[in-house]
C-alpha cells in the first residue's frame, strides 16, 4: 500500500505541503503533554509507594525532665505496637530531626534550647488502614500532646491534583487529535474538489471508491509520518532540556522529570499513531464524500 | 426490436432524462442492443447524443423509465456493483478526458490497474496496443505535449485495453486523418467481431456510409432506431455538427 503508485497528483496539492507542518506542531504538543503526564504519574506512584504505608506520630514537648519525656515516648510506642496493622514504630532521634530541619534553619548549634516535638516513625503493614482518630485518642491518653500526621490525607489531595492535571492533559490530547482529524478532513475534501474530474474518470473506468480512497489514505499516512517525525524530532531536545533543567534545581522542589524506556517508547509511538489516524480519517472522508456521486 | 431481455447488452424502456427542473432532454427512449451489434448514433448538436451515451456508461441516472445493462436493472443495482458493470464498458469521450499528469502509458493502463491486473501483464498489453495505434514512441509522453489526434488515439486505447463488452465512442475519429480514422474503425470492427457491442456517435458521413452498420438518429430528445443514412445526411450541413 505504501509503495503503491497513485493515479491522482496529490503530491502537487499546495495543502499537502502545509499538512505535515501542522501535524508536526500537533505531535509536538501531544508529545510534550504526554511526557508531562507520564512524569507526573511516575512521581505520584513513587510518592504513593514511599509514604502510603507510613504515619508520623508527633508528641509535643511538655515535661522538663528527660526521664518523663522518655516515659511519654515509651507509652506512645507501647500503644502503637499494640495497634493492629502497625508493623513497626521507632523514635526519630534528635540528631535526625535536626538534620531534617537544617535545610530550612541552618546549623542548629543550640538545638536543645528549641522546643522541638518528638517524632515516631510508624510503618504500617501492607494494606493496613488503621482508624487514625481512635489511635489518636489512645495516644493522647497515653502521652498527652500526641498527634498523628497522616501522610495519606495530603498524599490523597496531591494525587487528586495530579489526576486533575492528567485529565486536563487528556483533554489537550483529545483537542490535538480532533484538530488533526479536522485538518485532514478539510485537506481531503479540498483534494477531492480539486481532482473531481480525474476522480470521475476513474469512476467511469470502473474504479471502486476504495481504490480512490486508498490513494488519499496512503498520502495522508505518508504526510502524517513525515509531520509526526518532525514533531517528535523537535520534542525530544525540548524534553531533554527540561529534564536537564529540573536536575539543576534543588532537590525536593520539583518532581523527578526522568522518563523510563517505556515512556520513550510510548512517545515514539505517537507519530505513527497520528499518521494512522490521518490515514483512516482520509479514507473515511473520501468514501463518505464519493458515496454522494453516482 | 424483438429481442429477449437477457440477450441485451443495453436495454432502455421509455427512458426520460431531465437535468434538475429543466425540460426533458431525452424523451421516451426505448432501445435494445444485443451482444455483438454495431450501431452509429447520429443527431444534430444538442439532440441529446452525449446524454444518451452518459446514461449508457452509467454517469447519469434516468429521470424515468427502465435501463438494463448486461441484464441488470440499473435502478435496483447497488452503488458497489456499478464499478464491475463499468469495467465492462469502454468509453471514448469526445473531449478525451485523459489525465494530463499521467503518461500515455499510464493513461492507457488505468482500466487494467483499477481491475487489479498485475503490472507485468499491464506493460505487455499497453505497449502492444499503443504500438498498434502508432504511439510506440510516445509511451512516456504526457497528453498536453501530444497533438489532438495522438490524444484521441490514447483515449481509444484506454477505452479498449480491458476488452470491454460494450464500447461507447463519442466522435472517435474527429481529430485524426481519414487513413487513421479508417484504421480505428477497423479496430472497432475487429472488436465487434469478437463480441463487443459498439455504439459510435459520429458526424463522419463517409465512415457511416462505408461501414453500413445500424444507424440511430436522435432529434430533439427523440430516438429513431432505424434511421436511413440518406435521410440523416440529407440534412443541411449547419444542422449537423
Amino acid at each position: 500500500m505504501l509503495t503503491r503508485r497513485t493515479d491522482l497528483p496529490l503530491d502537487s496539492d499546495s495543502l499537502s505541503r502545509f499538512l505535515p507542518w501542522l501535524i508536526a506542531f500537533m505531535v509536538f504538543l501531544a508529545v510534550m503533554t504526554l511526557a508531562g503526564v507520564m512524569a507526573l504519574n511516575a512521581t505520584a506512584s513513587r510518592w504513593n509507594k514511599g509514604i502510603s504505608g507510613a504515619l508520623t506520630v508527633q508528641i509535643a514537648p511538655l515535661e522538663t525532665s528527660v526521664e518523663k519525656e522518655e516515659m511519654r515516648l515509651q507509652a506512645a510506642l507501647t500503644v502503637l505496637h499494640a495497634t493492629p496493622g502497625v508493623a513497626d514504630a521507632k523514635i526519630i532521634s534528635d540528631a535526625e530531626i535536626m538534620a531534617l530541619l537544617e535545610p530550612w534553619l541552618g546549623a542548629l548549634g543550640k538545638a536543645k534550647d528549641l522546643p522541638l516535638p518528638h517524632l515516631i516513625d510508624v510503618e504500617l503493614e501492607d494494606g493496613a488502614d488503621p482508624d487514625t482518630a481512635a489511635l489518636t485518642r489512645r495516644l493522647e491518653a497515653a502521652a498527652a500532646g500526641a498527634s498523628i500526621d497522616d501522610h495519606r490525607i495530603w498524599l490523597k489531595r496531591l494525587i487528586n491534583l495530579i489526576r486533575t492535571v492528567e485529565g486536563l492533559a487528556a483533554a489537550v490530547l483529545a483537542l490535538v487529535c480532533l484538530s488533526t482529524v479536522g485538518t485532514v478532513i478539510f485537506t481531503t475534501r479540498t483534494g477531492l474538489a480539486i481532482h473531481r474530474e480525474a476522480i470521475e474518470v476513474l469512476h467511469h473506468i470502473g474504479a471502486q471508491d476504495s481504490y480512490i480512497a486508498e490513494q488519499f489514505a496512503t498520502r495522508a499516512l505518508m504526510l502524517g509520518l513525515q509531520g509526526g517525525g518532525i514533531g517528535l524530532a523537535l520534542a525530544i531536545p525540548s524534553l531533554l532540556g527540561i529534564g536537564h533543567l529540573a536536575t539543576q534545581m534543588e532537590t525536593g522542589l520539583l518532581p523527578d522529570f526522568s522518563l523510563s524506556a517505556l515512556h520513550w517508547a510510548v512517545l515514539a509511538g505517537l507519530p505513527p499513531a497520528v499518521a494512522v489516524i490521518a490515514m483512516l480519517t482520509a479514507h473515511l472522508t473520501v468514501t463518505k464524500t464519493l458515496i454522494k456521486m453516482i | 426490436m424483438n429481442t429477449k431481455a437477457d440477450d441485451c447488452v443495453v436495454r432502455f424502456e421509455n427512458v426520460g432524462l431531465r437535468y434538475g427542473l429543466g425540460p426533458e432532454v431525452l424523451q421516451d427512449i426505448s432501445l435494445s442492443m444485443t451482444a455483438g451489434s454495431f450501431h452509429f448514433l447520429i443527431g444534430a448538436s444538442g439532440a441529446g447524443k452525449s446524454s444518451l451515451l452518459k446514461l449508457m456508461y452509467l454517469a447519469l441516472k434516468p429521470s424515468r423509465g427502465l435501463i438494463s445493462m448486461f441484464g441488470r436493472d440499473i435502478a435496483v443495482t447497488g452503488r458497489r456493483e456499478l464499478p464491475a458493470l463499468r469495467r465492462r464498458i469502454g468509453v471514448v469521450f469526445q473531449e478525451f478526458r485523459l489525465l494530463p499528469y499521467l503518461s500515455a502509458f499510464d493513461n492507457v493502463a488505468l482500466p487494467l490497474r483499477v481491475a487489479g491486473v498485475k503490472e507485468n501483464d499491464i506493460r505487455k498489453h499497453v505497449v502492444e496496443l499503443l504500438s498498434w495505434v502508432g504511439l510506440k514512441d510516445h509511451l512516456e509522453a504526457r497528453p498536453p505535449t501530444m497533438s489532438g489526434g495522438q490524444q484521441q488515439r490514447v483515449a481509444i486505447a484506454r477505452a479498449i485495453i480491458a476488452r470491454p463488452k460494450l464500447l461507447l465512442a463519442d466522435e472517435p475519429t474527429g481529430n485524426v486523418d481519414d487513413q487513421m480514422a479508417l484504421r480505428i474503425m477497423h479496430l472497432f470492427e475487429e472488436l465487434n467481431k469478437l463480441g463487443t457491442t459498439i455504439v459510435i456517435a459520429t458526424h463522419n458521413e463517409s465512415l457511416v456510409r462505408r461501414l453500413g452498420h445500424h444507424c440511430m438518429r436522435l432529434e430533439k430528445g427523440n430516438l429513431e432506431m432505424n434511421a436511413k443514412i440518406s435521410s440523416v445526411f440529407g440534412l443541411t450541413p449547419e444542422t449537423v455538427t
Side-chain angles (χ1 to χ4, degrees):
Chain A
M1 185 173 170
L2 294 179
T3 54
R4 185 174 182 165
R5 53 172 303 288
T6 63
D7 302 320
L8 297 167
L10 302 176
D11 288 349
S12 61
D13 292 353
S14 56
L15 281 171
S16 294
R17 289 192 284 275
F18 145 82
L19 190 60
W21 291 105
L22 192 125
I23 288 179
F25 177 64
M26 294 298 176
V27 167
F28 176 82
L29 283 180
V31 168
M32 299 303 286
T33 306
L34 197 58
V37 167
M38 289 191 297
L40 276 178
N41 206 25
T43 302
S45 296
R46 281 195 295 272
W47 284 346
N48 196 18
K49 192 178 174 184
I51 61 178
S52 65
L55 297 173
T56 302
V57 174
Q58 186 173 285
I59 301 173
L62 296 176
E63 307 293 342
T64 51
S65 97
V66 176
E67 291 76 16
K68 287 184 177 175
E69 289 294 306
E70 185 63 28
M71 284 173 65
R72 291 173 67 221
L73 278 171
Q74 290 304 325
L77 274 178
T78 305
V79 169
L80 287 169
H81 283 137
T83 301
V86 172
D88 193 16
K90 61 179 180 181
I91 297 167
I92 299 174
S93 68
D94 288 347
E96 287 174 298
I97 293 172
M98 283 189 282
L100 287 171
L101 292 173
E102 196 170 326
W104 282 270
L105 302 180
L108 297 172
K110 296 180 178 178
K112 288 176 183 174
D113 298 336
L114 287 172
L116 293 175
H118 305 292
L119 299 177
I120 301 174
D121 186 19
V122 181
E123 186 185 335
L124 301 174
E125 291 172 355
D126 286 346
D129 186 19
D131 181 350
T132 49
L135 182 58
T136 302
R137 284 194 297 274
R138 289 204 302 278
L139 284 168
E140 179 72 20
S147 63
I148 292 177
D149 184 2
D150 189 350
H151 312 302
R152 290 173 300 179
I153 294 170
W154 69 265
L155 181 65
K156 191 176 176 183
R157 288 175 187 159
L158 192 65
I159 287 174
N160 282 344
L161 175 67
I162 287 176
R163 295 287 175 254
T164 305
V165 172
E166 284 176 351
L168 286 172
V172 169
L173 285 175
L175 283 174
V176 164
C177 197
L178 281 175
S179 302
T180 306
V181 167
T183 308
V184 172
I185 289 173
F186 171 71
T187 52
T188 304
R189 283 187 176 165
T190 306
L192 283 167
I194 291 171
H195 304 298
R196 185 181 176 87
E197 200 172 328
I199 289 166
E200 279 181 3
V201 170
L202 289 175
H203 266 156
H204 292 329
I205 61 175
Q208 293 274 9
D209 290 347
S210 57
Y211 179 88
I212 297 162
E214 274 175 20
Q215 303 204 8
F216 279 90
T218 303
R219 180 72 187 142
L221 178 71
M222 300 311 291
L223 293 178
L225 286 173
Q226 192 182 335
I230 295 170
L232 185 64
L234 292 173
I236 287 173
S238 305
L239 287 174
L240 293 175
I242 290 171
H244 177 70
L245 287 175
T247 57
Q248 301 296 305
M249 303 290 287
E250 289 289 336
T251 55
L253 291 181
L254 281 178
D256 183 7
F257 200 77
S258 60
L259 294 170
S260 68
L262 178 65
H263 292 154
W264 283 111
V266 169
L267 295 178
L270 265 179
V274 169
V276 168
I277 289 171
M279 180 187 76
L280 295 176
T281 304
H283 198 285
L284 201 62
T285 304
V286 173
T287 49
K288 290 279 181 194
T289 307
L290 292 184
I291 210 162
K292 294 169 192 162
M293 296 172 78
I294 186 175
Chain B
M1 282 188 170
N2 188 15
T3 314
K4 277 199 297 181
D6 290 348
D7 296 335
C8 290
V9 172
V10 183
R11 189 162 65 94
F12 281 38
E13 281 184 24
N14 302 314
V15 168
L17 175 70
R18 68 171 79 239
Y19 293 101
L21 298 173
E24 278 199 326
V25 294
L26 294 175
Q27 297 156 16
D28 294 315
I29 304 288
S30 292
L31 61 87
S32 57
M33 296 174 180
T34 51
S37 55
F38 198 120
H39 311 265
F40 283 112
L41 177 62
I42 296 164
S45 181
K49 296 193 299 296
S50 294
S51 295
L52 184 59
L53 289 181
K54 279 180 181 175
L55 286 172
M56 288 187 194
Y57 63 76
L58 307 176
L60 291 175
K61 283 190 171 178
S63 308
R64 61 184 174 88
L66 179 144
I67 294 180
S68 171
M69 303 293 291
F70 307 103
R72 301 286 301 273
D73 181 353
I74 295 306
V76 295
T77 301
R79 196 173 176 281
R80 285 173 177 273
E81 299 167 83
L82 291 179
L85 287 179
R86 286 177 177 137
R87 285 177 204 170
R88 301 168 77 177
I89 305 169
V91 187
V92 183
F93 301 98
Q94 187 170 15
E95 66 280 23
F96 315 138
R97 301 188 74 172
L98 299 173
L99 303 188
Y101 45 84
L102 294 183
S103 66
F105 178 92
D106 286 331
N107 267 288
V108 176
L110 269 181
L112 299 179
R113 287 198 169 117
V114 300
V117 177
K118 289 178 183 173
E119 282 297 320
N120 286 343
D121 296 334
I122 287 174
R123 176 134 208 106
K124 183 183 159 196
H125 288 119
V126 172
V127 170
E128 186 181 322
L129 187 54
L130 280 173
S131 301
W132 198 92
V133 295
L135 294 172
K136 188 181 180 182
D137 297 330
H138 296 76
L139 295 180
E140 297 307 318
R142 296 191 178 200
T145 67
M146 303 170 89
S147 70
Q150 288 172 326
Q151 289 184 47
Q152 193 153 31
R153 282 179 276 162
V154 174
I156 290 167
R158 185 180 66 183
I160 64 176
I161 186 73
R163 305 279 164 85
K165 295 292 178 194
L166 171 65
L167 179 71
L168 307 171
D170 200 352
E171 288 293 345
T173 56
N175 290 279
V176 293
D177 57 40
D178 286 347
Q179 192 182 355
M180 181 51 75
L182 198 59
R183 205 167 168 210
I184 287 168
M185 295 312 290
H186 284 320
L187 172 65
F188 289 167
E189 287 195 313
E190 288 302 314
L191 281 170
N192 182 237
K193 283 176 190 168
L194 293 172
T196 301
T197 304
I198 312 275
V199 181
I200 296 173
T202 185
H203 297 132
N204 192 324
E205 179 182 356
S206 64
L207 273 178
V208 176
R209 286 183 189 282
R210 194 168 190 166
L211 298 173
H213 292 293
H214 175 246
C215 195
M216 301 180 291
R217 185 168 68 134
L218 258 177
E219 188 174 357
K220 293 179 182 173
N222 294 296
L223 185 70
E224 183 187 346
M225 272 304 285
N226 297 298
K228 301 273 186 207
I229 295 173
S230 57
S231 75
V232 171
F233 293 107
L235 296 171
T236 54
E238 60 270 24
T239 57
V240 179
T241 60

